[in-house]
Amino acid sequence: SSEKWIIKKIISDDLARSWKLSSNLRRRFNLRESQSCLNCGNSARTRILAQAIMNMYPIDYVRNLKDWVARSKKLNLSVAEINSCGKLHNVLAKIPNIAYSEYPPARILPRIYFSIKRIRNEDITSLSYPDKSFDLVLHSEVLEHVQDVNKAINECRRILKPNGICLFTAPFISHRKTVQCAIINKKSGRTINLKKPSFHGLDNREDNMVWWEFGNDFLTKYKLKIELYDPEVMTYVFMIKKN
């Protein structure tokens, strides 16, 4: 029932206008980013990502991701978490063979912070991991903030082992085509906005800027599959599988 969740209005008026969301779509995106569990704090989106992980690597007698991680040692999976997957990170961090990284702007958090915390600093478009390093690669709400999506997806494929899987979420509206929000001027290197800039997060930092509003051509362009979809909260979990 609704009493089990914390539900907030996450989508701002500006973002709703920028995305041209109907009131119904805005409601569903709000649920996606809130509907937080009172116990673990995970949003609807991150809970669905957790379910996709358990679907791809099933373990008997597992009720939730915490149970799955506790029993996952026998799978001996090597996992890359590229930027924290929300509150899931607190559980994923207990996987024995996990490589966790972030890509923060240096002006917000200096590299020394990540050195002290022993957090890798990785750019998803140019990962330092060797080829064929991981069984499972995870990220959530990253690609819409990446200028070169093709490079990012190719890097995820590159670091997967044969038969490895990348699971990720990104905002996606299936009834329209992808909208490019900004480009880079090749001569000056400056960002040119193709529409009014929109941002995700607590402030309008450049690293939170949305470069892409993904639509139905996203799947075919990057050869993606949908592993899991919950229409009530507008959440898709996309999959890349290394052959």
Side-chain angles (χ1 to χ4, degrees):
S1 66
S2 60
E3 287 78 17
K4 295 179 180 178
W5 315 114
I6 299 171
I7 298 173
K8 298 180 181 179
K9 292 181 179 179
I10 303 295
I11 305 300
S12 67
D13 291 344
D14 282 348
L15 194 55
R17 281 192 293 268
S18 177
W19 284 5
K20 299 180 181 178
L21 297 179
S22 66
S23 58
N24 181 46
L25 276 178
R26 185 177 181 180
R27 177 188 67 81
R28 290 155 70 190
F29 269 107
N30 276 323
L31 290 175
R32 177 183 193 268
E33 296 305 321
S34 65
Q35 204 173 35
S36 302
C37 173
L38 288 170
N39 293 319
C40 68
N42 275 287
S43 65
R45 166 172 53 83
T46 53
R47 292 197 306 275
I48 292 166
L49 179 58
Q51 186 61 57
I53 295 168
M54 294 186 290
N55 287 353
M56 296 309 300
Y57 295 98
I59 301 175
D60 292 338
Y61 311 113
V62 161
R63 297 171 299 169
N64 52 45
L65 190 68
K66 188 175 180 180
D67 288 350
W68 183 89
V69 167
R71 297 169 183 262
S72 67
K73 291 181 182 179
K74 62 183 180 181
L75 298 177
N76 196 31
L77 295 175
S78 53
V79 182
E81 183 186 9
I82 302 174
N83 296 340
S84 64
C85 295
K87 297 289 185 180
L88 283 191
H89 172 70
N90 298 332
V91 179
L92 294 171
K94 297 178 182 178
I95 295 174
N97 299 321
I98 190 162
Y100 163 53
S101 65
E102 290 284 350
Y103 181 61
R107 67 184 182 280
I108 303 299
L109 289 172
R111 288 181 182 273
I112 188 66
Y113 171 87
F114 294 89
S115 177
I116 292 170
K117 294 289 185 178
R118 296 183 180 179
I119 300 171
R120 293 181 70 115
N121 190 319
E122 292 283 348
D123 177 353
I124 195 172
T125 66
S126 182
L127 297 168
S128 67
Y129 303 118
D131 295 356
K132 303 176 184 178
S133 293
F134 298 102
D135 299 293
L136 178 63
V137 173
L138 302 169
H139 53 89
S140 187
E141 311 303 278
V142 173
L143 288 189
E144 69 271 27
H145 302 293
V146 174
Q147 188 266 329
D148 196 330
V149 174
N150 192 57
K151 276 188 177 180
I153 288 180
N154 284 340
E155 279 293 272
C156 290
R157 282 197 175 98
R158 179 184 66 79
I159 66 173
L160 285 174
K161 294 179 181 179
N163 298 314
I165 292 167
C166 174
L167 296 174
F168 67 92
T169 67
F172 180 77
I173 301 177
S174 62
H175 65 266
R176 62 193 191 206
K177 291 186 179 297
T178 295
V179 175
Q180 186 170 10
C181 304
I183 60 173
I184 296 289
N185 184 295
K186 291 182 180 179
K187 290 184 177 180
S188 67
R190 297 181 64 181
T191 300
I192 300 173
N193 294 306
L194 302 178
K195 58 180 294 187
K196 182 181 177 181
S198 60
F199 302 84
H200 297 167
L202 298 177
D203 54 39
N204 289 355
R205 297 202 315 260
E206 185 177 347
D207 57 303
N208 286 334
M209 191 180 83
V210 177
W211 286 81
W212 303 93
E213 296 172 5
F214 296 121
N216 51 34
D217 49 338
F218 180 53
L219 296 170
T220 54
K221 183 174 182 179
Y222 299 109
K223 299 178 182 178
L224 306 173
K225 293 183 178 179
I226 295 172
E227 161 54 24
L228 201 56
Y229 169 49
D230 187 328
E232 179 56 28
V233 292
M234 284 300 292
T235 298
Y236 294 78
V237 178
F238 301 100
M239 180 176 70
I240 301 166
K241 185 165 185 179
K242 184 77 166 282
N243 296 324

mmCIF file of all heavy atoms in Angstrom, residues 144-188:
data_model
loop_
_atom_site.group_PDB
_atom_site.id
_atom_site.type_symbol
_atom_site.label_atom_id
_atom_site.label_comp_id
_atom_site.label_asym_id
_atom_site.label_seq_id
_atom_site.Cartn_x
_atom_site.Cartn_y
_atom_site.Cartn_z
ATOM 1 N N GLU A 144 22.359 9.951 -19.826
ATOM 2 C CA GLU A 144 21.727 11.188 -20.290
ATOM 3 C C GLU A 144 22.607 12.410 -20.011
ATOM 4 O O GLU A 144 22.399 13.481 -20.588
ATOM 5 C CB GLU A 144 20.340 11.372 -19.667
ATOM 6 C CG GLU A 144 20.315 11.674 -18.179
ATOM 7 C CD GLU A 144 20.259 10.421 -17.321
ATOM 8 O OE1 GLU A 144 20.730 9.345 -17.757
ATOM 9 O OE2 GLU A 144 19.754 10.512 -16.187
ATOM 10 N N HIS A 145 23.616 12.237 -19.148
ATOM 11 C CA HIS A 145 24.535 13.329 -18.808
ATOM 12 C C HIS A 145 25.869 13.221 -19.547
ATOM 13 O O HIS A 145 26.803 13.971 -19.239
ATOM 14 C CB HIS A 145 24.799 13.336 -17.302
ATOM 15 C CG HIS A 145 23.557 13.472 -16.479
ATOM 16 N ND1 HIS A 145 22.794 14.618 -16.468
ATOM 17 C CD2 HIS A 145 22.927 12.593 -15.657
ATOM 18 C CE1 HIS A 145 21.752 14.443 -15.659
ATOM 19 N NE2 HIS A 145 21.811 13.229 -15.167
ATOM 20 N N VAL A 146 25.959 12.299 -20.494
ATOM 21 C CA VAL A 146 27.213 12.039 -21.215
ATOM 22 C C VAL A 146 27.105 12.582 -22.631
ATOM 23 O O VAL A 146 26.165 12.241 -23.358
ATOM 24 C CB VAL A 146 27.518 10.528 -21.247
ATOM 25 C CG1 VAL A 146 28.736 10.235 -22.105
ATOM 26 C CG2 VAL A 146 27.719 9.997 -19.829
ATOM 27 N N GLN A 147 28.067 13.391 -23.021
ATOM 28 C CA GLN A 147 27.998 13.998 -24.354
ATOM 29 C C GLN A 147 28.149 12.946 -25.452
ATOM 30 O O GLN A 147 27.436 12.961 -26.447
ATOM 31 C CB GLN A 147 29.091 15.077 -24.476
ATOM 32 C CG GLN A 147 28.996 15.907 -25.761
ATOM 33 C CD GLN A 147 29.859 15.369 -26.877
ATOM 34 O OE1 GLN A 147 30.913 14.788 -26.635
ATOM 35 N NE2 GLN A 147 29.413 15.554 -28.109
ATOM 36 N N ASP A 148 29.076 11.991 -25.288
ATOM 37 C CA ASP A 148 29.317 10.961 -26.303
ATOM 38 C C ASP A 148 28.812 9.615 -25.801
ATOM 39 O O ASP A 148 29.558 8.833 -25.204
ATOM 40 C CB ASP A 148 30.806 10.889 -26.644
ATOM 41 C CG ASP A 148 31.075 10.128 -27.938
ATOM 42 O OD1 ASP A 148 30.286 9.217 -28.259
ATOM 43 O OD2 ASP A 148 32.062 10.439 -28.630
ATOM 44 N N VAL A 149 27.539 9.351 -26.031
ATOM 45 C CA VAL A 149 26.909 8.111 -25.555
ATOM 46 C C VAL A 149 27.524 6.897 -26.235
ATOM 47 O O VAL A 149 27.691 5.838 -25.615
ATOM 48 C CB VAL A 149 25.385 8.162 -25.791
ATOM 49 C CG1 VAL A 149 24.729 6.835 -25.436
ATOM 50 C CG2 VAL A 149 24.767 9.281 -24.968
ATOM 51 N N ASN A 150 27.860 7.026 -27.498
ATOM 52 C CA ASN A 150 28.431 5.897 -28.232
ATOM 53 C C ASN A 150 29.734 5.421 -27.578
ATOM 54 O O ASN A 150 29.942 4.212 -27.401
ATOM 55 C CB ASN A 150 28.696 6.298 -29.685
ATOM 56 C CG ASN A 150 29.014 5.103 -30.559
ATOM 57 O OD1 ASN A 150 28.230 4.166 -30.650
ATOM 58 N ND2 ASN A 150 30.171 5.119 -31.192
ATOM 59 N N LYS A 151 30.589 6.361 -27.202
ATOM 60 C CA LYS A 151 31.829 5.998 -26.526
ATOM 61 C C LYS A 151 31.545 5.299 -25.197
ATOM 62 O O LYS A 151 32.204 4.317 -24.853
ATOM 63 C CB LYS A 151 32.684 7.246 -26.269
ATOM 64 C CG LYS A 151 33.551 7.673 -27.424
ATOM 65 C CD LYS A 151 34.490 8.782 -26.988
ATOM 66 C CE LYS A 151 35.428 9.195 -28.115
ATOM 67 N NZ LYS A 151 36.351 10.277 -27.679
ATOM 68 N N ALA A 152 30.597 5.819 -24.451
ATOM 69 C CA ALA A 152 30.269 5.240 -23.150
ATOM 70 C C ALA A 152 29.784 3.801 -23.291
ATOM 71 O O ALA A 152 30.231 2.901 -22.556
ATOM 72 C CB ALA A 152 29.217 6.089 -22.449
ATOM 73 N N ILE A 153 28.883 3.557 -24.229
ATOM 74 C CA ILE A 153 28.347 2.211 -24.409
ATOM 75 C C ILE A 153 29.425 1.264 -24.934
ATOM 76 O O ILE A 153 29.519 0.107 -24.495
ATOM 77 C CB ILE A 153 27.115 2.249 -25.329
ATOM 78 C CG1 ILE A 153 25.951 2.881 -24.554
ATOM 79 C CG2 ILE A 153 26.740 0.859 -25.825
ATOM 80 C CD1 ILE A 153 24.667 2.996 -25.320
ATOM 81 N N ASN A 154 30.266 1.745 -25.842
ATOM 82 C CA ASN A 154 31.354 0.911 -26.340
ATOM 83 C C ASN A 154 32.340 0.555 -25.228
ATOM 84 O O ASN A 154 32.883 -0.559 -25.203
ATOM 85 C CB ASN A 154 32.082 1.607 -27.485
ATOM 86 C CG ASN A 154 31.305 1.555 -28.785
ATOM 87 O OD1 ASN A 154 30.406 0.716 -28.956
ATOM 88 N ND2 ASN A 154 31.627 2.439 -29.712
ATOM 89 N N GLU A 155 32.580 1.480 -24.316
ATOM 90 C CA GLU A 155 33.466 1.196 -23.194
ATOM 91 C C GLU A 155 32.857 0.131 -22.271
ATOM 92 O O GLU A 155 33.562 -0.753 -21.775
ATOM 93 C CB GLU A 155 33.759 2.465 -22.397
ATOM 94 C CG GLU A 155 34.839 3.329 -22.999
ATOM 95 C CD GLU A 155 36.197 2.662 -22.943
ATOM 96 O OE1 GLU A 155 36.911 2.809 -21.942
ATOM 97 O OE2 GLU A 155 36.554 1.955 -23.921
ATOM 98 N N CYS A 156 31.546 0.223 -22.043
ATOM 99 C CA CYS A 156 30.884 -0.800 -21.223
ATOM 100 C C CYS A 156 30.998 -2.170 -21.882
ATOM 101 O O CYS A 156 31.245 -3.178 -21.213
ATOM 102 C CB CYS A 156 29.421 -0.435 -20.998
ATOM 103 S SG CYS A 156 29.178 0.989 -19.910
ATOM 104 N N ARG A 157 30.827 -2.215 -23.192
ATOM 105 C CA ARG A 157 30.973 -3.489 -23.910
ATOM 106 C C ARG A 157 32.415 -4.004 -23.832
ATOM 107 O O ARG A 157 32.651 -5.200 -23.654
ATOM 108 C CB ARG A 157 30.583 -3.309 -25.381
ATOM 109 C CG ARG A 157 29.098 -3.262 -25.646
ATOM 110 C CD ARG A 157 28.791 -3.511 -27.114
ATOM 111 N NE ARG A 157 27.354 -3.585 -27.343
ATOM 112 C CZ ARG A 157 26.611 -2.586 -27.779
ATOM 113 N NH1 ARG A 157 27.174 -1.425 -28.057
ATOM 114 N NH2 ARG A 157 25.311 -2.738 -27.955
ATOM 115 N N ARG A 158 33.350 -3.090 -23.976
ATOM 116 C CA ARG A 158 34.761 -3.481 -24.006
ATOM 117 C C ARG A 158 35.189 -4.186 -22.727
ATOM 118 O O ARG A 158 35.937 -5.180 -22.765
ATOM 119 C CB ARG A 158 35.636 -2.242 -24.239
ATOM 120 C CG ARG A 158 37.130 -2.533 -24.276
ATOM 121 C CD ARG A 158 37.957 -1.262 -24.403
ATOM 122 N NE ARG A 158 37.854 -0.399 -23.234
ATOM 123 C CZ ARG A 158 38.516 -0.605 -22.088
ATOM 124 N NH1 ARG A 158 39.288 -1.668 -21.938
ATOM 125 N NH2 ARG A 158 38.379 0.253 -21.079
ATOM 126 N N ILE A 159 34.745 -3.686 -21.583
ATOM 127 C CA ILE A 159 35.225 -4.235 -20.313
ATOM 128 C C ILE A 159 34.452 -5.470 -19.863
ATOM 129 O O ILE A 159 34.806 -6.088 -18.862
ATOM 130 C CB ILE A 159 35.230 -3.164 -19.200
ATOM 131 C CG1 ILE A 159 33.808 -2.708 -18.850
ATOM 132 C CG2 ILE A 159 36.124 -1.994 -19.592
ATOM 133 C CD1 ILE A 159 33.740 -1.772 -17.645
ATOM 134 N N LEU A 160 33.404 -5.846 -20.608
ATOM 135 C CA LEU A 160 32.662 -7.062 -20.271
ATOM 136 C C LEU A 160 33.413 -8.300 -20.727
ATOM 137 O O LEU A 160 33.980 -8.348 -21.822
ATOM 138 C CB LEU A 160 31.288 -7.047 -20.940
ATOM 139 C CG LEU A 160 30.216 -6.139 -20.342
ATOM 140 C CD1 LEU A 160 28.976 -6.135 -21.228
ATOM 141 C CD2 LEU A 160 29.851 -6.564 -18.919
ATOM 142 N N LYS A 161 33.370 -9.326 -19.893
ATOM 143 C CA LYS A 161 33.866 -10.633 -20.295
ATOM 144 C C LYS A 161 32.900 -11.246 -21.315
ATOM 145 O O LYS A 161 31.752 -10.794 -21.428
ATOM 146 C CB LYS A 161 33.951 -11.563 -19.078
ATOM 147 C CG LYS A 161 34.964 -11.153 -18.030
ATOM 148 C CD LYS A 161 34.931 -12.131 -16.861
ATOM 149 C CE LYS A 161 35.915 -11.749 -15.777
ATOM 150 N NZ LYS A 161 35.858 -12.688 -14.627
ATOM 151 N N PRO A 162 33.333 -12.271 -22.064
ATOM 152 C CA PRO A 162 32.384 -12.987 -22.927
ATOM 153 C C PRO A 162 31.182 -13.465 -22.107
ATOM 154 O O PRO A 162 31.342 -13.994 -21.008
ATOM 155 C CB PRO A 162 33.217 -14.160 -23.452
ATOM 156 C CG PRO A 162 34.623 -13.652 -23.434
ATOM 157 C CD PRO A 162 34.716 -12.766 -22.210
ATOM 158 N N ASN A 163 29.987 -13.224 -22.618
ATOM 159 C CA ASN A 163 28.717 -13.513 -21.941
ATOM 160 C C ASN A 163 28.459 -12.594 -20.752
ATOM 161 O O ASN A 163 27.504 -12.818 -19.996
ATOM 162 C CB ASN A 163 28.627 -14.978 -21.492
ATOM 163 C CG ASN A 163 28.674 -15.929 -22.665
ATOM 164 O OD1 ASN A 163 27.986 -15.725 -23.665
ATOM 165 N ND2 ASN A 163 29.510 -16.960 -22.568
ATOM 166 N N GLY A 164 29.300 -11.573 -20.584
ATOM 167 C CA GLY A 164 29.059 -10.608 -19.526
ATOM 168 C C GLY A 164 27.872 -9.712 -19.841
ATOM 169 O O GLY A 164 27.434 -9.608 -20.989
ATOM 170 N N ILE A 165 27.349 -9.042 -18.806
ATOM 171 C CA ILE A 165 26.122 -8.256 -18.929
ATOM 172 C C ILE A 165 26.320 -6.880 -18.313
ATOM 173 O O ILE A 165 26.906 -6.743 -17.242
ATOM 174 C CB ILE A 165 24.954 -8.977 -18.222
ATOM 175 C CG1 ILE A 165 24.586 -10.260 -18.975
ATOM 176 C CG2 ILE A 165 23.729 -8.069 -18.104
ATOM 177 C CD1 ILE A 165 23.675 -11.171 -18.185
ATOM 178 N N CYS A 166 25.828 -5.875 -19.001
ATOM 179 C CA CYS A 166 25.727 -4.522 -18.450
ATOM 180 C C CYS A 166 24.245 -4.202 -18.265
ATOM 181 O O CYS A 166 23.457 -4.351 -19.205
ATOM 182 C CB CYS A 166 26.379 -3.520 -19.379
ATOM 183 S SG CYS A 166 26.160 -1.783 -18.869
ATOM 184 N N LEU A 167 23.871 -3.804 -17.072
ATOM 185 C CA LEU A 167 22.504 -3.385 -16.767
ATOM 186 C C LEU A 167 22.533 -1.925 -16.334
ATOM 187 O O LEU A 167 23.370 -1.528 -15.525
ATOM 188 C CB LEU A 167 21.913 -4.234 -15.635
ATOM 189 C CG LEU A 167 21.735 -5.723 -15.896
ATOM 190 C CD1 LEU A 167 21.290 -6.435 -14.618
ATOM 191 C CD2 LEU A 167 20.721 -5.975 -17.006
ATOM 192 N N PHE A 168 21.596 -1.149 -16.875
ATOM 193 C CA PHE A 168 21.583 0.266 -16.493
ATOM 194 C C PHE A 168 20.193 0.857 -16.691
ATOM 195 O O PHE A 168 19.365 0.325 -17.429
ATOM 196 C CB PHE A 168 22.618 1.062 -17.295
ATOM 197 C CG PHE A 168 22.336 1.189 -18.769
ATOM 198 C CD1 PHE A 168 21.630 2.275 -19.265
ATOM 199 C CD2 PHE A 168 22.783 0.228 -19.663
ATOM 200 C CE1 PHE A 168 21.375 2.412 -20.626
ATOM 201 C CE2 PHE A 168 22.539 0.350 -21.029
ATOM 202 C CZ PHE A 168 21.841 1.441 -21.509
ATOM 203 N N THR A 169 19.971 1.966 -16.029
ATOM 204 C CA THR A 169 18.743 2.729 -16.218
ATOM 205 C C THR A 169 19.090 4.097 -16.795
ATOM 206 O O THR A 169 20.192 4.612 -16.604
ATOM 207 C CB THR A 169 17.967 2.937 -14.903
ATOM 208 O OG1 THR A 169 18.730 3.788 -14.035
ATOM 209 C CG2 THR A 169 17.684 1.607 -14.214
ATOM 210 N N ALA A 170 18.130 4.668 -17.500
ATOM 211 C CA ALA A 170 18.215 6.038 -18.016
ATOM 212 C C ALA A 170 16.795 6.491 -18.289
ATOM 213 O O ALA A 170 15.940 5.664 -18.649
ATOM 214 C CB ALA A 170 19.051 6.100 -19.287
ATOM 215 N N PRO A 171 16.489 7.769 -18.134
ATOM 216 C CA PRO A 171 15.147 8.250 -18.476
ATOM 217 C C PRO A 171 14.845 7.946 -19.943
ATOM 218 O O PRO A 171 15.691 8.151 -20.810
ATOM 219 C CB PRO A 171 15.234 9.757 -18.221
ATOM 220 C CG PRO A 171 16.382 9.917 -17.282
ATOM 221 C CD PRO A 171 17.353 8.845 -17.621
ATOM 222 N N PHE A 172 13.632 7.474 -20.208
ATOM 223 C CA PHE A 172 13.303 6.978 -21.545
ATOM 224 C C PHE A 172 11.813 7.182 -21.788
ATOM 225 O O PHE A 172 10.988 6.804 -20.962
ATOM 226 C CB PHE A 172 13.658 5.489 -21.610
ATOM 227 C CG PHE A 172 13.368 4.815 -22.930
ATOM 228 C CD1 PHE A 172 14.196 4.998 -24.019
ATOM 229 C CD2 PHE A 172 12.274 3.976 -23.063
ATOM 230 C CE1 PHE A 172 13.942 4.353 -25.230
ATOM 231 C CE2 PHE A 172 12.013 3.329 -24.261
ATOM 232 C CZ PHE A 172 12.845 3.523 -25.346
ATOM 233 N N ILE A 173 11.494 7.800 -22.916
ATOM 234 C CA ILE A 173 10.086 8.006 -23.289
ATOM 235 C C ILE A 173 9.884 7.355 -24.650
ATOM 236 O O ILE A 173 10.392 7.834 -25.670
ATOM 237 C CB ILE A 173 9.725 9.502 -23.318
ATOM 238 C CG1 ILE A 173 9.972 10.113 -21.935
ATOM 239 C CG2 ILE A 173 8.266 9.696 -23.734
ATOM 240 C CD1 ILE A 173 9.725 11.606 -21.859
ATOM 241 N N SER A 174 9.174 6.245 -24.669
ATOM 242 C CA SER A 174 9.155 5.353 -25.829
ATOM 243 C C SER A 174 8.328 5.867 -27.007
ATOM 244 O O SER A 174 8.523 5.412 -28.131
ATOM 245 C CB SER A 174 8.627 3.974 -25.418
ATOM 246 O OG SER A 174 7.291 4.080 -24.954
ATOM 247 N N HIS A 175 7.424 6.818 -26.763
ATOM 248 C CA HIS A 175 6.523 7.220 -27.850
ATOM 249 C C HIS A 175 7.089 8.350 -28.715
ATOM 250 O O HIS A 175 6.398 8.855 -29.595
ATOM 251 C CB HIS A 175 5.150 7.621 -27.290
ATOM 252 C CG HIS A 175 5.163 8.841 -26.412
ATOM 253 N ND1 HIS A 175 5.282 8.750 -25.049
ATOM 254 C CD2 HIS A 175 5.103 10.162 -26.700
ATOM 255 C CE1 HIS A 175 5.268 9.969 -24.528
ATOM 256 N NE2 HIS A 175 5.166 10.842 -25.511
ATOM 257 N N ARG A 176 8.339 8.753 -28.474
ATOM 258 C CA ARG A 176 8.932 9.782 -29.316
ATOM 259 C C ARG A 176 10.420 9.496 -29.530
ATOM 260 O O ARG A 176 11.010 8.657 -28.854
ATOM 261 C CB ARG A 176 8.736 11.162 -28.707
ATOM 262 C CG ARG A 176 9.387 11.377 -27.360
ATOM 263 C CD ARG A 176 8.858 12.647 -26.723
ATOM 264 N NE ARG A 176 9.621 13.043 -25.557
ATOM 265 C CZ ARG A 176 9.123 13.762 -24.570
ATOM 266 N NH1 ARG A 176 7.857 14.163 -24.615
ATOM 267 N NH2 ARG A 176 9.878 14.105 -23.540
ATOM 268 N N LYS A 177 11.007 10.197 -30.474
ATOM 269 C CA LYS A 177 12.411 9.987 -30.796
ATOM 270 C C LYS A 177 13.318 10.712 -29.806
ATOM 271 O O LYS A 177 12.889 11.629 -29.101
ATOM 272 C CB LYS A 177 12.695 10.470 -32.221
ATOM 273 C CG LYS A 177 12.065 9.619 -33.316
ATOM 274 C CD LYS A 177 12.524 10.080 -34.679
ATOM 275 C CE LYS A 177 11.918 9.203 -35.773
ATOM 276 N NZ LYS A 177 12.367 7.802 -35.658
ATOM 277 N N THR A 178 14.563 10.284 -29.780
ATOM 278 C CA THR A 178 15.567 10.913 -28.923
ATOM 279 C C THR A 178 15.758 12.388 -29.297
ATOM 280 O O THR A 178 15.794 12.737 -30.478
ATOM 281 C CB THR A 178 16.911 10.177 -29.037
ATOM 282 O OG1 THR A 178 16.744 8.845 -28.522
ATOM 283 C CG2 THR A 178 18.014 10.883 -28.273
ATOM 284 N N VAL A 179 15.883 13.224 -28.283
ATOM 285 C CA VAL A 179 16.145 14.654 -28.463
ATOM 286 C C VAL A 179 17.554 14.950 -27.974
ATOM 287 O O VAL A 179 17.910 14.619 -26.832
ATOM 288 C CB VAL A 179 15.130 15.510 -27.679
ATOM 289 C CG1 VAL A 179 15.495 16.988 -27.772
ATOM 290 C CG2 VAL A 179 13.715 15.259 -28.178
ATOM 291 N N GLN A 180 18.388 15.535 -28.830
ATOM 292 C CA GLN A 180 19.711 15.990 -28.418
ATOM 293 C C GLN A 180 19.587 17.408 -27.886
ATOM 294 O O GLN A 180 19.083 18.301 -28.564
ATOM 295 C CB GLN A 180 20.698 15.949 -29.585
ATOM 296 C CG GLN A 180 22.121 16.264 -29.180
ATOM 297 C CD GLN A 180 23.131 15.996 -30.279
ATOM 298 O OE1 GLN A 180 22.765 15.736 -31.422
ATOM 299 N NE2 GLN A 180 24.413 16.051 -29.942
ATOM 300 N N CYS A 181 20.041 17.617 -26.672
ATOM 301 C CA CYS A 181 19.834 18.899 -25.994
ATOM 302 C C CYS A 181 20.980 19.882 -26.188
ATOM 303 O O CYS A 181 20.791 21.088 -26.028
ATOM 304 C CB CYS A 181 19.615 18.664 -24.499
ATOM 305 S SG CYS A 181 18.248 17.542 -24.136
ATOM 306 N N ALA A 182 22.166 19.361 -26.503
ATOM 307 C CA ALA A 182 23.328 20.242 -26.650
ATOM 308 C C ALA A 182 24.373 19.560 -27.513
ATOM 309 O O ALA A 182 24.373 18.328 -27.660
ATOM 310 C CB ALA A 182 23.911 20.590 -25.284
ATOM 311 N N ILE A 183 25.270 20.343 -28.080
ATOM 312 C CA ILE A 183 26.393 19.833 -28.854
ATOM 313 C C ILE A 183 27.654 20.568 -28.433
ATOM 314 O O ILE A 183 27.590 21.599 -27.757
ATOM 315 C CB ILE A 183 26.171 19.998 -30.385
ATOM 316 C CG1 ILE A 183 25.994 21.485 -30.733
ATOM 317 C CG2 ILE A 183 25.006 19.162 -30.870
ATOM 318 C CD1 ILE A 183 25.942 21.750 -32.230
ATOM 319 N N ILE A 184 28.807 20.038 -28.846
ATOM 320 C CA ILE A 184 30.088 20.696 -28.613
ATOM 321 C C ILE A 184 30.554 21.344 -29.915
ATOM 322 O O ILE A 184 30.586 20.687 -30.961
ATOM 323 C CB ILE A 184 31.150 19.698 -28.128
ATOM 324 C CG1 ILE A 184 30.772 19.109 -26.767
ATOM 325 C CG2 ILE A 184 32.519 20.349 -28.058
ATOM 326 C CD1 ILE A 184 30.872 20.075 -25.617
ATOM 327 N N ASN A 185 30.891 22.622 -29.872
ATOM 328 C CA ASN A 185 31.476 23.294 -31.026
ATOM 329 C C ASN A 185 32.891 22.759 -31.238
ATOM 330 O O ASN A 185 33.738 22.858 -30.354
ATOM 331 C CB ASN A 185 31.509 24.813 -30.792
ATOM 332 C CG ASN A 185 32.025 25.567 -31.999
ATOM 333 O OD1 ASN A 185 33.185 25.430 -32.387
ATOM 334 N ND2 ASN A 185 31.168 26.380 -32.579
ATOM 335 N N LYS A 186 33.130 22.160 -32.411
ATOM 336 C CA LYS A 186 34.410 21.492 -32.658
ATOM 337 C C LYS A 186 35.585 22.462 -32.656
ATOM 338 O O LYS A 186 36.705 22.096 -32.295
ATOM 339 C CB LYS A 186 34.350 20.740 -33.986
ATOM 340 C CG LYS A 186 33.412 19.538 -33.949
ATOM 341 C CD LYS A 186 33.422 18.790 -35.265
ATOM 342 C CE LYS A 186 32.483 17.583 -35.208
ATOM 343 N NZ LYS A 186 32.465 16.846 -36.504
ATOM 344 N N LYS A 187 35.355 23.694 -33.046
ATOM 345 C CA LYS A 187 36.452 24.669 -33.100
ATOM 346 C C LYS A 187 36.773 25.243 -31.729
ATOM 347 O O LYS A 187 37.930 25.309 -31.326
ATOM 348 C CB LYS A 187 36.097 25.791 -34.077
ATOM 349 C CG LYS A 187 36.084 25.355 -35.538
ATOM 350 C CD LYS A 187 35.832 26.546 -36.447
ATOM 351 C CE LYS A 187 35.885 26.127 -37.919
ATOM 352 N NZ LYS A 187 35.641 27.278 -38.829
ATOM 353 N N SER A 188 35.734 25.663 -31.026
ATOM 354 C CA SER A 188 35.960 26.339 -29.743
ATOM 355 C C SER A 188 35.940 25.390 -28.547
ATOM 356 O O SER A 188 36.472 25.713 -27.490
ATOM 357 C CB SER A 188 34.898 27.418 -29.526
ATOM 358 O OG SER A 188 33.611 26.820 -29.343
#
